[in-house]
């Protein structure tokens, strides 16, 4: 038995029998890109088009027919046409009865129409089995084969078998189908590719605002004040010194803002005596973007660490140290070690290191692949216990940094306190309120409320 | 054709026909939370309860009936009741015949009962199709909508169709169903939410013990000894200097302990001449937590890096350097560059940097989303080849750090050697044994044993 | 009702009825390991073998029969035999009719045979339902239970039901089945375990070559030149100084090489006036490994950061600074602060910090679990907008580092410019061309071309 030749012969008809013909309505960019990719993956492809003239754009190997003719050649029809032209399908309803129609369309705006394009299609052609798919993939990526980003294709539809047929095609194209349930999910799937980090908007705008405020605050205190009163040019502070003041301040404030809504929610629940009433909208939204707030805080903390570690390499710092040593040498004096200062400096740095370390740990556990692998008990342990420990360490780091400068009048310029003092307000409030809330007289009723107990249960008639 | 109005009309009945009524037995916290969420997602919900009095706690839109009445209204019944009260379902057996019963219960302890709650339920109501689901989600998270953590809902059950119906509900609630197979998996699913990092217990306890030991060891040598004999107050070493001794020591020891069990296993297999006998229990357990040991080691290594990089900013270090320079200047002498010291210092730092870099690489590849994307060959290449290279670099880093101080008597205080010398024992043993094991006279039989060969094969009768 | 005893009784027959007998052909290492694991998971296992003598190697609880006898006892038969011995199955064709045959085989080389082993098996036994599975799991891992790496088992096959039966077994063994579609995917699944980072080969070889070149370049300039002309021994530069020159150079060049193919592709498309012609092969391959190029660049950038931060701890640097200060003190002079130098040093460091920060952000978003959670719009925003910003910042960092040394003749040794000047060539070309390409007169036609427009559309007959 000549293995190779016989095998190949036996294989060929086998293979072609597996890939059923796919019909694509529409010869636009996305339709052609999809057709191209399907032909590459071994599917016979026919295009349905108003003009049946074969243009050079049609992928090689595909044929072009009228819509009716093309539809009769395949069980699966991909509708690569814009929603506003779906009307032309109504006269084809008889031919499309029982066929699988794949809606690949996208809109220009989120929630552009009252119902999703796929549901609209299902109403226009009631006899067909509509499946939503492929809208999350870009034509350009299909064309060029550079699918660096998500290979996930969300699929939804009411007919289980039709969905499985489409998912088989998705897999054959080298993409990963993700079943999102019934056609009701189509709206969400159609909105998905239009999003641009929706949960990040508030944290990023907030941090931009705070950054601008603290930048001008520090500019006034650290650059303009010495220039006006001491005629010193410290304008180069803009590059590193001022960013290295802003970053830790923002990291601390944003980290505290992650834990503030939880504290507020507890107060509201204690006051209302029930958990069965909705929080105000702003609190709900705030709670939903806590993860993003925390990650922005972590970004600022990381920048603070980099800016701090780079300090001894700075020209200005080297100049200041060497000129101080030279003047010491010229004055012929040696300072003894000030143990208090050594303690302050070392404990301040150690608190910062430990706080940052825990902060990074929190960040790592919020990676999707890790948070999917921990259960709720573990997640709550990390995010709540470790989270508060991080907040305590970082607040302590800032307090010790202040050291004995807190009330010294020399640290006020134009009656403005040091910027780091402003950053302590929110975290201290959060920590104090949280400390009060863990007293048993408040913790016990809160726990009971969260388990479903109500202070004033009202029975309806 | 007025598109919007006609569409909306056509859509409305369509939608309601898709969501079938769900019945929930039990009006406790979890039952109510689940009911609330389901109503939000468009499911008609009826509650089955002993008292049919509608309390204000029942989510708006749900109705309360007796158990029998409620069960008749739905094909899917969620049993949100504790296991010890399951008995009341026995008289309802006839009504429940053919229904899908969803067991959402959790226990208080791991393996509390001989069989899982879901299997117990299946025995009590043999005619029903039991599906285990939703037990990994917290009522509080469902209620507040803040599903930051895992959205995964493990589902298992013997009836494929029943499982698919439940998974469709899970998806409609915005959660991700994960099929875990037959009802036999229920025990595991019920234990899952009770775990608190089970694999991390041993590595963390071990490192806490070692940390305590080395803390007091270094305290004695570096703080108490100078205080007693030289009357110097170095108590501030507790903040940074001593942690920065403990961290690298623990990182190195724990990293070596990751590779020790593999070496021990090879010795046992060579001695026994077969791979078909189980390892002792302690070795099995040790091998299973190697990843966690390695990650704890990486955490200590990262802390060591932070503590080291912060050195030039410390008050004490700046004071020591400046007082040294001042005394040099006052004594009017300039030291020439000692090239040997420059070599030692630079190669010690370079080895540490490269070792840490590879260590971080190992840590990144152990992220679930990355280790799922490499095959066994690649995983073994990274974890074994790169792992040993990391161990070699880190051991060399410590050896060069010792430099020529190794045998100098001045480094012994109270006959105690420097702490880093203790940390070299385990890694050196591992590296030496591994080096011996790669000699062909040992490597060849080992490879054959691992491919299934036996030195003394015993044929049973 | 005595709960425990009755339950256990009721449970036992229930369980055994769920796990159907599995037959394994072949008593080699992998067959035995799989059998062992299946017995542990509660499956009755029979082995089919030429010799029915029970050896001690056969897992306890399994029975050995002739192939024909064993096949009759089970609906699922695992073929744990090498491809070249598949012939013996031909006479068994009648017995195997309708059975599920699981092909677990692997090859020694990629694409060793014209068709996959599983497809070959399907041709030999046309009446059986062939499923490919388990080939991505190692026998050693199954045996030892240490499944640290991927638990994914790729499954493919043409018969949906047969596939589901095999996936149920996979799940029962504690592994994760991944449906890869029809048997056509078998070739890819069989090649998968043989790969060793195929996409990384080019980036790693390229960076090794560049590293070697720049190492000798810097060695000549920084070690040999001073030794020859100034008789100074700077050989210790090999440990840190020279690596810290090579790392940033490679990071910058490789980062620029990530964006060069995109720029080239745009030029080719503008020149051709269409996107419907394939790029040259080398460009296609280059585009496919951009992610890997970028990650290697990030690795070099991280090493550069570590090497830089360690600078103030180096013995040589401390010696140089202290000897400079001592000589200043001895010469009795204090330098005033040079604000220009302070500006240059600070902005150079700040640019580096920001560039590295964005670079790390790019790296994090390329983690599979994160890139799967962003849509195309977000991915393109991060990888294109943030990516170019990173390239601009890193190029500016290098330019400012050069400062006013650029044209100074003293920085040329043996007519060789400073190494960092060479590293600026590629990034500057990329940035200039990209800058030209965003002019409307070029950007508009390019956008149209990418949306499917053609300058010279050719209609075929």
């Amino acid at each position: 038995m000549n293995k190779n030749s016989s095998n190949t012969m036996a294989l060929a008809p086998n293979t072609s029998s597996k890939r059923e013909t796919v019909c694509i309505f529409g010869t636009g960019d996305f339709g052609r890109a999809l057709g191209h990719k399907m032909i590459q993956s071994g599917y016979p492809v026919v295009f349905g088009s108003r003009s049946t003239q074969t243009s050079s754009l049609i992928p090689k190997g595909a044929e072009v027919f009228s819509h009716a003719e093309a539809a009769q050649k395949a069980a699966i029809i991909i509708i690569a046409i814009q929603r506003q032209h779906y009307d032309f399908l109504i006269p084809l309803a008889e031919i499309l009865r029982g066929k699988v129609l794949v809606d690949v369309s996208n809109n220009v705006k989120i929630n552009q129409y009252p119902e999703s394009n796929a549901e609209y299609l299902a109403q226009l052609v009631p006899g067909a089995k509509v499946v939503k798919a492929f809208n999350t993939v870009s034509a350009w990526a299909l064309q060029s084969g550079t699918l660096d980003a998500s290979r996930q294709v969300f699929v939804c539809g009411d007919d289980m078998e039709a969905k499985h047929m489409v998912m088989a095609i998705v897999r054959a194209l080298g993409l990963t189908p993700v079943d999102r349930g019934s056609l009701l999910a189509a709206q969400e799937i159609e909105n998905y590719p239009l999003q641009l980090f929706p949960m990040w908007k508030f944290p990023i705008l907030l941090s931009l605002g705070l950054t601008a405020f603290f930048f001008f605050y520090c500019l006034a205190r650290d650059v303009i004040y010495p220039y006006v009163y001491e005629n010193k040019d410290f304008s180069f502070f803009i590059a590193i010194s001022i960013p290295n003041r802003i970053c830790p301040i923002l990291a601390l404030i944003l980290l505290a803002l992650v834990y503030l809504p939880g504290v507020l929610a507890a107060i509201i629940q204690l006051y209302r005596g029930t958990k069965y009433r909705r929080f105000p909208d702003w609190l709900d939204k705030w709670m939903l973007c806590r993860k993003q707030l925390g990650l922005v805080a972590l970004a600022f903390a990381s920048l603070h660490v980099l800016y701090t570690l780079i300090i001894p390499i700075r020209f200005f710092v080297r100049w200041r140290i060497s000129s101080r040593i030279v003047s010491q040498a010229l004055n012929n004096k040696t300072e003894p070690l000030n143990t208090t200062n050594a303690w302050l400096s070392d404990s301040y740095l150690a608190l910062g290191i430990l706080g940052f370390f825990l902060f990074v740990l929190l960040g790592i556990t919020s990676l999707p692949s890790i948070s999917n692998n921990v259960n709720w008990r573990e997640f709550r342990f990390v995010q709540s216990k470790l989270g508060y420990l991080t907040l305590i360490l970082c607040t302590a780091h800032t307090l010790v940094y202040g050291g004995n400068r807190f009330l010294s009048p020399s640290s006020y310029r134009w009656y403005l306190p040091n910027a780091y003092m402003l950053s302590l307000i929110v975290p201290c409030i959060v920590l104090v309120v949280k400390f009060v809330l863990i007293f048993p007289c408040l913790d016990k009723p809160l726990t009971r409320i969260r388990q479903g107990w109500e202070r004033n249960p009202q029975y309806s008639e």
Side-chain angles (χ1 to χ4, degrees), chain A:
Chain A
M1 184 172 124
N2 180 327
K3 203 178 56 190
N4 276 5
S5 65
S6 70
N7 285 350
T8 320
M9 265 193 290
L11 191 66
N14 213 15
T15 313
S16 64
S17 73
K18 268 172 218 155
R19 304 288 203 217
E20 69 281 11
T21 302
V22 175
C23 167
I24 298 174
F25 275 13
T27 55
D29 189 32
F30 194 74
R32 291 198 306 263
L34 211 52
H36 186 78
K37 189 84 186 168
M38 281 175 172
I39 289 170
Q40 279 188 335
S41 310
Y43 284 94
V45 171
V46 294
F47 279 92
S49 172
R50 253 168 308 179
S51 118
T52 59
Q53 204 184 9
T54 313
S55 100
S56 70
L57 299 176
I58 298 295
K60 268 175 204 156
E63 285 176 285
V64 184
F65 298 97
S66 73
H67 287 123
E69 271 181 291
Q72 275 160 340
K73 291 186 190 298
I76 297 182
I77 299 160
I78 291 167
I79 312 293
I81 284 168
Q82 283 175 303
R83 178 196 171 113
Q84 50 266 41
H85 305 129
Y86 280 6
D87 297 347
F88 85 94
L89 291 166
I90 298 176
L92 297 170
E94 255 334 287
I95 297 167
L96 299 178
R97 181 166 304 280
K99 304 264 181 191
V100 178
L101 299 191
V102 186
D103 186 306
V104 302
S105 64
N106 267 325
N107 293 325
V108 182
K109 279 190 305 180
I110 285 182
N111 290 330
Q112 195 171 358
Y113 297 101
E115 83 288 0
S116 67
N117 300 355
E119 285 166 310
Y120 174 56
L121 180 63
Q123 288 155 33
L124 287 180
V125 195
K129 301 163 192 166
V130 173
V131 173
K132 179 89 210 177
F134 288 113
N135 72 310
T136 52
V137 184
S138 93
W140 165 245
L142 276 174
Q143 198 81 35
S144 61
T146 56
L147 287 157
D148 297 322
S150 179
R151 290 164 172 273
Q152 289 186 335
V153 172
F154 296 132
V155 180
C156 76
D158 290 335
D159 188 277
M160 193 62 90
E161 208 191 342
K163 206 154 61 172
H164 270 127
M165 286 165 75
V166 175
M167 285 165 78
I169 296 178
V170 172
R171 243 180 241 116
L173 304 192
L175 302 164
T176 312
V178 178
D179 187 348
R180 295 294 289 259
S182 75
L183 209 56
L184 283 174
Q187 185 95 45
E188 203 188 323
I189 295 181
E190 286 174 11
N191 284 336
Y192 181 75
L194 299 169
Q195 295 171 354
L196 189 61
F197 299 110
M199 306 304 289
W200 291 88
K201 235 162 246 171
F202 170 66
I204 284 175
L205 286 180
L206 177 69
S207 55
L208 282 183
L210 285 172
T211 302
F213 170 74
F214 280 107
F215 177 76
F216 290 111
Y217 192 95
C218 293
L219 196 71
R221 267 186 53 98
D222 298 331
V223 176
I224 301 176
Y225 184 94
Y227 189 76
V228 171
Y229 288 92
E230 308 168 25
N231 200 21
K232 280 182 187 160
D233 176 13
F234 284 150
S235 61
F236 60 87
F237 276 13
I238 291 171
I240 291 191
S241 302
I242 290 181
N244 200 18
R245 274 173 200 271
I246 297 172
C247 285
I249 289 171
L250 260 89
L252 190 57
I253 292 180
L254 292 176
L255 181 61
L257 289 180
V258 170
Y259 292 97
L260 188 53
V263 162
L264 290 178
I267 293 173
I268 290 176
Q269 287 180 332
L270 272 176
Y271 174 77
R272 288 178 176 172
T274 175
K275 72 165 184 182
Y276 292 107
R277 276 167 60 199
R278 291 204 50 165
F279 294 126
D281 248 19
W282 55 267
L283 189 56
D284 261 354
K285 278 189 193 150
W286 190 351
M287 288 181 105
L288 284 174
C289 70
R290 283 184 294 180
K291 179 176 157 182
Q292 283 75 17
L293 268 176
L295 289 175
V296 174
L298 178 55
F300 279 107
S302 308
L303 278 175
H304 169 50
V305 167
L306 282 174
Y307 277 123
T308 302
L309 293 178
I310 218 75
I311 284 178
I313 308 179
R314 290 176 63 194
F315 178 85
F316 169 67
V317 173
R318 286 191 170 169
W319 169 83
R320 198 176 54 188
I321 289 176
S322 84
S323 64
R324 204 176 287 165
I325 298 177
V326 168
S327 75
Q328 264 184 47
L330 295 181
N331 296 332
N332 203 352
K333 76 173 179 203
T334 25
E335 277 176 22
L337 176 62
N338 182 334
T339 322
T340 315
N341 279 353
W343 255 114
L344 273 178
S345 142
D346 276 14
S347 54
Y348 144 66
L349 291 170
L351 284 167
I353 289 172
L354 293 175
F356 179 67
F357 175 76
L358 286 184
F359 209 160
V360 170
L361 224 66
L362 285 177
I364 291 174
T365 54
S366 76
L367 283 174
S369 73
I370 290 181
S371 64
N372 270 337
N373 278 303
V374 299
N375 63 36
W376 270 94
R377 206 178 153 211
E378 295 166 342
F379 184 79
R380 222 150 29 191
F381 175 81
V382 169
Q383 294 296 328
S384 160
K385 297 272 157 59
L386 286 196
Y388 268 105
L389 188 55
T390 308
L391 184 58
I392 291 171
L393 283 171
C394 292
T395 311
H397 169 67
T398 315
L399 283 169
V400 175
Y401 169 74
N404 38 25
R405 266 179 293 173
F406 253 110
L407 296 174
S408 122
S410 74
S411 66
Y412 286 81
R413 294 177 179 169
W414 286 330
Y415 306 106
L416 296 176
N418 240 317
Y420 77 88
M421 288 167 75
L422 300 180
S423 77
L424 282 165
I425 299 168
V426 189
C428 285
I429 290 173
V430 172
L431 287 178
V432 167
V433 176
K434 180 73 186 176
F435 182 70
V436 171
L437 281 173
I438 55 173
F439 274 97
C441 59
L442 289 172
D443 188 46
K444 268 187 196 162
L446 188 61
T447 307
R448 277 200 297 166
I449 286 169
R450 288 190 172 166
Q451 285 167 350
W453 176 80
E454 287 202 307
R455 201 188 297 131
N456 307 308
Q458 294 148 340
Y459 284 93
S460 53
E461 75 292 342

